[in-house]
Each structure stands twice: as structure tokens, then as C-alpha cells.
Amino acid sequence: MSTTTPAVPFPAATITGYPRIGRRRELKQALEAYWAGRSTREELEAAAGELQLAIYRRLVELGLGAQDASLPAAFPLYDQVLDTTVALGAVPSRFADLAGADGRLDLDGSFVLARGDAGRAPLELTKWFDTNYHYLVPEIGPGTRFTASADRLVADVRRAAEHGFTVRPVLVGPVSFLLLAKADDDAPAGFDPLQRLADLLPVYAQLLDALAAAGAPWVQLEEPALVADQDVPAARLAAAVQEAYSALTAGPGRPRLLVTTSYGSPGALLRPLARSGVEAVHLDLVKGAAPAPAELALFAGEGAPVLVAGAVDGRNVWRADLAGRLDQLDDLVRAGARVAVASSTSLFHVPHDVAEETRLHPLLRSWLAFADQKVGEVVTLARGLAAGRGAVADQLAEAAAARRSREDAPGVRDAAVRERAASLTSAEIGRAPAEVRRAAQEGRSFAASGPLPPLPTTTIGSFPQTAEVRAARARHRAGSLPDAQYEGFLREEIERVVRLQEELGLDVLVHGEAERNDMVQYFAEHLDGFATTVHGWVQSYGSRCTRPSILWGDVSREGPGLRGEAFTVPWIGHAQSLTDRPVKGMLTGPVTILAWSFVRDDQPLEQTARQVALALRDEVADLEAAGIGIIQVDEPALRELLPLRRADQQAYLGWSVDAFRLATSGVRDETQIHTHLCYSEFGEVVGAIDGLDADVTSIEAARSRMEVLTDLEAAGFSRGIGPGVWDIHSPRVPGQEEIEQLLERALEHVPARTLWVNPDCGLKTRGYEETKASLEHLVAAARTARERSAQPAGPALIVQHGSRA
């Protein structure tokens, strides 16, 4: 290594990232104030800078070093992939006018990439590996210009130094950046962004030089794509890793490099990475397998990189088995490796501090570790590794006692719930053949308004959650709004939403979900075995945050008896009583409830999914009994939990599909089951989508401009499909012509008799003004498409393409 930066050794304890939205969502508030024009750019950047410094101070309080580069400087204002895109000057061709003459993009330009503008859709938004975080997909073509833009990275380093902190800047690594990208609009058929690696590496080198000059002794390059199977030959991937890091370690004056490989194991790609000259390699020891002897040999001997052991789970909230992890770390040291202790992933996947959750039962709270507690676990393990177990005996004993208390606590295991799940037979998981269901459904009207027209219009479920709705919910939770008044308010809100949909001319209505704070938390509040938090916010994307519930015990509906009490029927039934048009029953599916919660880690996920599915099956049955003829069970996270290695995927898809079918198969043939999926690369799970056996599937498609339909057509999918024609994750209002063009594209792949017209997702985060305008355009575009397709009226119900996948 040849560097001019101080030779700071890698710290004994570190984390790869920390929650960046703020303990009270300060960054969210600052961003939204800026976007709304209520604050200046200087005020936004000042708020972000103060938040960074507060986080550094807190991490040092928790035991990390102020000046040993253990503090990661990972603070994107919107998304880490977007920040890397901007740092590389990789502006997509369709946004080229936003870049300056030097190819650089300013802050406002980056927000256009993230949120779109009046004439352009934003970058595609999709899931970050198998997590509930969403990243913005870079668009790279043969002509994409790369220009180093290190100003923001350098400013972060210098701000920290002015306050006594030596930090470690973080970027997405070059191989992962290109593997996560898609070909831009101008790219020829067959173009692969990885072809641009050689052009990109000099720009990374320039960024590293700038950071070294600013005083950063270490830089963290994240390469999570190395732990997932790619549609790239293994030899080519290995060559790309070798090329990238041999080039980046060759430059004089550079910082030392830590390369992280979170979310799994890099497998055969570990060798070229460890032998490339990088000074430290991070391995996820929670999700990934323990290093084999041949892999450990890569970290032994003079010149070998430091093994940064991701021994503390960065994605779930359960306390670590500190004694067991310390045993594992000792084994690594005995094998000859120089070992530092870290989190398995960035801690931005978990909330800040469990100590703030004073409303949680003290016993449950004693089992949990949020970000601050996980930093403490990292520090404890590093100290135990360096000084011996006696130095951390009290911490080891406390962790062991918490784990024992969890094993025996009431509610963790419910004999009745387990017996019901164990007694299920295969005959209970599945419905009659699709052609039988179609015949039954064609013979009925779903409401007094009569049969559905071709290309029926609907929405995904939620309507805007206004300030008044949120305020009423808060007052009710605080006890200042009595139950009767709150219920009256909700009924009035539901009626307002129903009347608006009738006025807009939608064909299948929803009740708007005013009673639901979140599509998972609402269910957690009505199911035994769950707990919810007050301050447990986690970033989903941009300024959007969610509070994942904690699934700690066996699951059933709350209330007397094993089946408990229905909780969605009163609101959906009320909505149906107000209109002669059909109202969909709205439920969240079992896989999504698991994916968007912190789930117990003491039993197989499949077993937990079956319990959740049985509770939902009871709710589906009660909705049908209440006269609801269309029931939508959303599974937007179906693709999210897909294992990153193909060898593990079939088993997951098998039990996840079974869980959905278990939840939905207890109804009559006449009842129409819908599902909804979003945020996914759907081509990988087309067989599973078909296997769900839903009568109608609505699916995110607007940002990707209907890409999913090619995959569905190739797979022979022939049931009801509603590809989204309005991207609700951006504040822009799509014009009628834009939606008509999307429908024309959809009709190139989907027969009119099978096509539904709907937004990409629910409308909770949108305002009423943009919602009304967008839905007006959607309904008008659907009418135009009906006229053009000249299809006869009749139910838009479709025969299933085949037997279960």
C-alpha cells in the first residue's frame, strides 16, 4: 500500500452504518420542509450536519472511538445509491439537462432523479436486497458520462474533523453499483452496465484521492451485490472484483479501504477480493456462513487484510448470544486472522434505542437490542476478544439470562395455536380450479351496480391520511378523544372517501383505511403475539419511515376462543353499506406481515408464516360472511424475502405461496380474491405470482414502464392483471395522455378482458388534490382504452394459466 494519509490501524470495534433519519425523524422533517418551500437549502444542510454530529457524539458515548475511524460517515439525504450516483456524476441521459457543464449534479437535481418532475418519472425504486429498504436504480448506458463530484463527501469529513471526529466515508462499491444499475433508455439491446467498469474506476480513484486529501484515513466501499447470485458468469464477476480492487489499491495517496459484504456470504468472490490489496474485508457472520478454513487462510499471514467480523445482527432486534458470538470470534483469531468486531449490516435497518420504548412490557424489552444496544454489543465483544471473558463477565451473564427468560415466557408458545397449525392438511391449502371459479363469478354481480365493465378501475386500498386523520388517531391514543367520537369520525371519513370514488367514476371501491396507521402495524395491534413501538422508526426510502412491529410469540386473532374477533369487518362493511358499487375487503398478507416486522428468530420463518396465515384466514372468512364479494390480500413483500442465492429460493417460494393460499382458500368459488405486489424485480418470481392463485393481481409497473408484463407474458400468465399506471411514490400528477400510453403498452401484452386499471400502490402518502387529479386522469384514460379495445361488457374475470406453480 502506498498512501499519504496517516497509517491509522483498523479499529477493534465499529459498525457499518447507523440510523440516519434521526431519533425523532429530524431529517424527514427537514427534507419535507425544504421540498414544500418552507425552508432554504442552507437550512436543510445545516439540519443534516447537526444530525450527523449528534450521531457521532452518541456513538462515542456508547464506546466507539472518536478518532480511530470507527465512525461511519453514511448520511445520504435520500438514498445511498443516489448519493453514489451523484458522486460519480452518473446522470441518466433523460436527466442530462440537469447536470452542469462539468457534468455535476446539484442537490436539487438529485431530488429530481429521486422524485421526478412535471415531465419525467423519477428513477425506478426497488428493494435493497432482501430488506424493506428501497433504493433508486441507476441508469447507465454506453454513453453515460462519469465525473467525480466529491464535494459533499469531503464536506462531511471536514465538518466531523472540526468537531474532533475522524470518520470513515461510505460509498457503494464499483462492482455493486454497476450490478444494481439498469441499462438507460439510449442503451442498445443486450447492453450490460458492468461493461463500463473500466471507465468508472478512475472516477472512484479520484474520489478516494479527494477524501484522502480531506484527512480520511479509511473509506468504506459497500459490495453487497457480491453475496447474491447474479445473471453474470462467475468468472466474469471474479475478474470484475479483481480488476476493480487491484486498480483502486494501486493508487498513491489513497486512504485504506474497508470493503463490506453484508446480507450473506461472498462465496467464491471472497478470494479475489481478499487478495486484491484492500486492507480490510467485512463478512456478515449472521446471515452468511462461518468462513471455511480455506477462506480463513486468506486473512492469515503478513499483508492479509483485517477480517471485520459482522457478529452483531444489524437487521433484527433480538439481543445477541454474546457468549456464542465470542466463541466464534475466538475461533477466527485462533485461525490466524486479525479480527475486528462489527455489525453484520448497517444499523439503519433497526430503530435507535430500545430504552425509549417505555410502553413495552419490561420482560419483552429485556430481550431486545436496537441500534444503540447493538453498538454496545459490538463494543462488548471487542473488549472480550481483546481482554478475555472476565472483562465482560457481567454483560455475558445478563445476555444469557435474557435469552433464558424469553424461552419460558407466557405467550411465546401457545399449545392451541400450534396444534391448529400442525393439524392442517394439503386439502385446506388451495381453491377450486380457476375455470370453476370463473364460471361461478361470471354468474354474479359483486354489488347492486351490476357486472364490471372491461378494464375495470380501482385503487390499491388506502386513501390520503390527512392531518385531521392523524390528529384524531393521536388524540384517541392519548385518551382525549372517546371511543364513540373516534368511531364516528372514522365512519364520516370512510363515507367521504366512498363518495369521492363514486364521483370520480371508479368501478371497484375501497374504504380508504382511515382507521389504519400502517398496513402491518394495524394488524399487529389486533393479533396476539405482536407488540408495537412508539419511537421505533426505520427509514423505508427518502423521507418515508415505518415502525415495524415486533412478532415475539405465537399468533392468532385477539379475543375469546382460538379464532378471536374480526377487526376489519366493521369498517369495510360500513363502506359497502354506503354504495351499490362493490367495495374490496383489504388485508395485508402473511409474508408481508413477516417481512415488515421484526420476527422472532427462535423458530423457522415458515412456521411463523403459517400461524399468521391462519389468523388472516379467519378474517377472510368473516369478510365473506359479511357480504364482501371481492377481498384483496396484499403481498407487496413476496419478492423481498427471496433468498439471495438461487439454491435457497425454491424452498422459500414454496412456503410463502402456501401461506398466501392458506389465508385465502377458505372462501366460496364466487368470492373473488385479489392480491397486490410492488417494489420488486418480478421476473424472478413469476412462477410464484402464478402460484398465489389470485383471481386478480395488481402490480407496480409505472416507474419501470410496464417491464413486468414481458415477464408475465413469457410465463403465460393469463389471469386478471392490474399493472400500475400511476407512480404514487412521486408527487407528480400523471397526465391522461401518459396513462393512455401506459395502457396502450399494457394492451400489447395483456388482453383487454384480463386488464384492470389502477395505481402502483396505496395513496396513503399522497395529498387529496393530487389524488383527485390523478384518478380523474386514470378513469378518463380507462374509458378511452375501453373504446379503443371495443370489448363487450362483462365481468373481467380470467381463467388461471395452469395448475399451481
Side-chain angles (χ1 to χ4, degrees), residues 243-292:
E243 177 186 358
Y245 287 97
S246 294
L248 295 182
T249 56
R254 66 173 178 84
R256 296 183 175 190
L257 299 183
L258 161 65
V259 179
T260 65
T261 60
S262 296
Y263 311 108
S265 296
L269 297 178
L270 178 58
R271 178 169 292 277
L273 178 60
R275 291 294 187 233
S276 67
V278 300
E279 287 77 16
V281 175
H282 165 274
L283 298 179
D284 183 338
L285 301 185
V286 176
K287 192 71 177 291

Side-chain angles (χ1 to χ4, degrees), residues 293-642:
E295 294 172 324
L296 282 175
L298 298 169
F299 297 93
E302 186 176 352
V306 176
L307 195 169
V308 182
V312 172
D313 191 348
R315 294 181 54 180
N316 212 335
V317 294
W318 306 103
R319 290 181 70 156
D321 175 6
L322 292 180
R325 286 298 178 189
L326 200 49
D327 288 342
Q328 186 180 32
L329 294 169
D330 283 334
D331 289 342
L332 300 178
V333 172
R334 281 193 289 271
R338 289 183 298 146
V339 176
V341 184
S343 55
S344 65
T345 69
S346 171
L347 299 181
F348 80 79
H349 296 298
V350 297
H352 277 82
D353 188 359
V354 75
E356 297 188 346
E357 299 302 331
T358 56
R359 295 186 186 181
L360 287 179
H361 191 285
L363 185 59
L364 172 58
R365 196 166 64 241
S366 74
W367 305 338
L368 303 175
F370 289 0
D372 284 5
Q373 289 70 43
K374 290 178 183 297
V375 175
E377 291 179 331
V378 167
V379 171
T380 295
L381 289 172
R383 185 179 175 204
L385 189 63
R389 290 171 184 261
V392 292
D394 291 346
Q395 292 93 329
L396 296 180
E398 182 183 342
R403 291 177 67 84
R404 287 194 300 272
S405 72
R406 182 180 165 200
E407 292 174 1
D408 302 326
V412 172
R413 289 170 179 79
D414 184 310
V417 170
R418 290 176 176 249
E419 182 179 352
R420 183 186 183 193
S423 66
L424 285 169
T425 66
S426 59
E428 295 176 88
I429 305 178
R431 302 178 70 194
E435 57 268 24
V436 174
R437 302 200 309 265
R438 179 190 182 191
Q441 293 170 12
E442 282 184 333
R444 70 171 293 190
S445 294
F446 291 99
S449 58
L452 299 175
L455 280 72
T457 56
T458 188
T459 65
I460 301 305
S462 60
F463 262 64
Q465 294 250 328
T466 62
E468 292 77 14
V469 170
R470 295 193 298 273
R473 184 182 301 121
R475 289 173 57 208
H476 180 250
R477 181 173 286 120
S480 61
L481 185 63
D483 289 351
Q485 292 183 32
Y486 182 56
E487 290 173 8
F489 169 84
L490 291 176
R491 288 176 178 271
E492 290 175 1
E493 181 67 17
I494 289 170
E495 181 167 8
R496 186 165 79 93
V497 169
V498 168
R499 299 299 176 225
L500 174 60
Q501 292 172 88
E502 290 178 324
E503 174 189 330
L504 290 167
L506 290 162
D507 300 306
V508 176
L509 314 188
V510 296
H511 77 291
E513 303 181 14
E515 81 284 6
R516 305 183 189 186
N517 46 12
D518 175 85
M519 66 181 292
V520 171
Q521 183 176 333
Y522 178 74
F523 285 77
E525 291 171 344
H526 291 85
L527 296 173
D528 285 327
F530 281 87
T532 60
T533 66
V534 175
H535 303 295
W537 295 102
V538 174
Q539 185 181 22
S540 179
Y541 68 93
S543 67
R544 299 302 181 192
C545 304
T546 181
R547 278 185 298 166
S549 302
I550 299 169
L551 196 167
W552 59 268
D554 285 347
V555 177
S556 60
R557 289 194 303 184
E558 287 184 337
L562 182 57
R563 291 186 72 247
E565 297 177 349
F567 53 94
T568 68
V569 172
W571 309 114
I572 296 166
H574 173 63
Q576 186 62 83
S577 74
L578 298 170
T579 181
D580 63 356
R581 302 185 192 189
V583 174
K584 289 191 288 189
M586 301 300 306
L587 303 176
T588 303
V591 174
T592 299
I593 288 176
L594 296 188
W596 296 355
S597 301
F598 295 120
V599 180
R600 62 190 301 175
D601 60 354
D602 59 342
Q603 67 183 23
L605 203 56
E606 175 182 1
Q607 186 174 335
T608 307
R610 180 165 287 206
Q611 292 179 3
V612 176
L614 282 170
L616 295 173
R617 183 184 180 97
D618 295 336
E619 195 71 22
V620 169
D622 286 338
L623 282 167
E624 182 186 61
I628 304 301
I630 301 177
I631 301 172
Q632 180 172 309
V633 181
D634 290 345
E635 283 292 21
L638 177 69
R639 165 64 179 76
E640 182 176 314
L641 293 183
L642 186 72

Side-chain angles (χ1 to χ4, degrees), residues 1 3-13 65-71 165-168 212 215-219 254-258 279-280 306 338:
M1 179 187 76
T3 70
T4 57
T5 54
V8 176
F10 197 81
Q67 296 182 330
D68 62 359
S70 64
L71 306 176
F165 302 110
T166 300
V167 298
R168 188 176 71 243
W218 284 87
V219 169
R254 66 173 178 84
R256 296 183 175 190
L257 299 183
L258 161 65
E279 287 77 16
V306 176
R338 289 183 298 146

